[in-house]
Amino acid sequence: MIRNTRQRTAVNAVFDELEGFHSAQEVHARMRASGDSIGLSTVYRAVQALVDDGELDSIRTDAGEAIYRRCSTRHHHHLVCRSCGRTEEVEGPTVERWADRVAAEHGFVDVTHTLEIFGTCAACHSAGAPSADQPG
Amino acid sequence: MIRNTRQRTAVNAVFDELEGFHSAQEVHARMRASGDSIGLSTVYRAVQALVDDGELDSIRTDAGEAIYRRCSTRHHHHLVCRSCGRTEEVEGPTVERWADRVAAEHGFVDVTHTLEIFGTCAACHSAGAPSADQPG
DNA sequence: CCGTAGTCGACAACAGTTCTCACATGCTCC
DNA sequence: GGAGCATGTGAGAACTGTTGTCGACTACGG
């Protein structure tokens, strides 16, 4: 059974008023700062539960930190600027279909996928270094 | 000055004979197992140097571990069975084009992407658990 | 062969995350 | 509205991947 606790509600509420991606630690610090008493472990648990429920969307930063954001129930992917970290949501029925088809061709079922696109956004490109490494 | 040491050469060589993504720890273990004497720190340093040189491509796993692969290998994606771990390599010009296009539409340059497909392979599906969660 | 500065490697330190476990509390049943 | 109890909480320890430290080592130019 899953209980509806003060802490869980509070973490959920934090993401209501926050835009963009935020780490568990950041959420914890923010809650503490605003007078909410909550443990770090609890924040991690709550956040993971929300991800499991599909309420939050999570990705990993380049530094290995997990960051979360309220996500529309709609499936989408991220276009991340590797310089400033700016993130755009993108949707691609094309990709969804492709992934499902390819998986089906190999006999896979219960298929899901993760896709992240990394690049340098226009602002960073015109502002900053003229070139970047071209991995992959 | 950058020296050409036995260790650096060895790490580089490991990626010559390895396909796909591999973690620094894995490389270290593999080298040790094959009789190479090398420190973990050195592997990390070597791998990062190779990434800086554009010889290796690095991404983060969902678990927060950094994994690396030789850049020159043909770009492809993985279809992973979440039950037995079996991995198939798949290619998709469709996806490549889609990713590039979407990124371009948002003004992003120097675009790369990561894509993993997860599912239950035919063998595991017929043999085992009837259902699985449907994350993200 | 020498000098030296870049490198190595064992280990410590660090950050993010997960685990532990005694205690607290939401839910269900009455 | 309670009693009972499974589930949640939270402080801190433990764990994992990664980076820093620092004395010893060694590749490389001369």
Side-chain angles (χ1 to χ4, degrees):
Chain A
M1 189 227 299
I2 292 180
R3 287 194 197 156
N4 188 18
T5 64
R6 172 180 64 78
Q7 292 88 340
R8 212 109 77 183
T9 307
V11 169
N12 202 339
V14 167
F15 282 97
D16 279 339
E17 44 191 73
L18 242 41
E19 283 190 17
F21 285 98
H22 303 274
S23 70
Q25 311 246 4
E26 186 186 336
V27 169
H28 179 242
R30 186 177 289 264
M31 294 178 75
R32 282 297 185 92
S34 71
D36 255 326
S37 158
I38 190 171
L40 184 55
S41 314
T42 303
V43 173
Y44 274 104
R45 273 187 298 241
V47 152
Q48 276 168 7
L50 288 169
V51 169
D52 286 347
D53 284 2
E55 300 248 2
L56 292 187
D57 189 12
S58 86
I59 62 173
R60 286 262 172 192
T61 67
D62 212 46
E65 193 177 21
I67 52 178
Y68 309 84
R69 164 181 77 168
R70 165 128 288 144
C71 86
S72 47
T73 54
R74 170 119 98 197
H75 180 75
H76 60 254
H77 301 290
H78 296 119
L79 175 54
V80 185
C81 175
R82 68 164 72 83
S83 175
C84 67
R86 194 174 108 203
T87 302
E88 315 254 351
E89 283 184 5
V90 295
E91 290 179 33
T94 312
V95 183
E96 318 302 325
R97 279 195 302 268
W98 175 83
D100 288 347
R101 181 170 53 77
V102 165
E105 280 170 8
H106 286 78
F108 280 57
V109 297
D110 292 335
V111 178
T112 62
H113 60 262
T114 63
L115 169 60
E116 303 282 332
I117 309 177
F118 300 96
T120 307
C121 73
C124 290
H125 180 60
S126 58
S131 86
D133 290 0
Q134 204 73 325
Chain B
M1 191 226 302
I2 292 178
R3 284 196 204 156
N4 189 18
T5 64
R6 171 179 67 78
Q7 291 88 342
R8 211 111 74 184
T9 307
V11 170
N12 203 340
V14 167
F15 281 97
D16 279 338
E17 45 191 72
L18 243 42
E19 281 190 17
F21 285 96
H22 302 274
S23 70
Q25 312 248 4
E26 186 186 337
V27 169
H28 179 242
R30 187 176 287 264
M31 295 178 74
R32 283 294 186 96
S34 71
D36 254 327
S37 159
I38 189 170
L40 183 56
S41 313
T42 303
V43 174
Y44 274 104
R45 274 186 298 241
V47 152
Q48 277 168 6
L50 289 169
V51 169
D52 285 348
D53 283 2
E55 300 247 1
L56 292 186
D57 188 13
S58 85
I59 62 172
R60 286 262 172 191
T61 67
D62 213 46
E65 193 176 22
I67 52 178
Y68 308 85
R69 99 182 145 180
R70 167 127 285 146
C71 264
S72 54
T73 57
R74 162 102 134 241
H75 183 73
H76 61 253
H77 301 290
H78 295 119
L79 176 53
V80 185
C81 174
R82 66 165 74 83
S83 176
C84 68
R86 192 174 108 205
T87 302
E88 315 254 352
E89 286 185 3
V90 295
E91 289 180 33
T94 311
V95 184
E96 317 302 325
R97 278 197 302 269
W98 174 83
D100 287 346
R101 182 171 53 77
V102 165
E105 279 171 7
H106 286 78
F108 281 56
V109 296
D110 293 335
V111 178
T112 62
H113 60 262
T114 64
L115 168 61
E116 303 282 333
I117 309 178
F118 301 95
T120 308
C121 73
C124 291
H125 180 59
S126 57
S131 83
D133 288 2
Q134 241 4 26

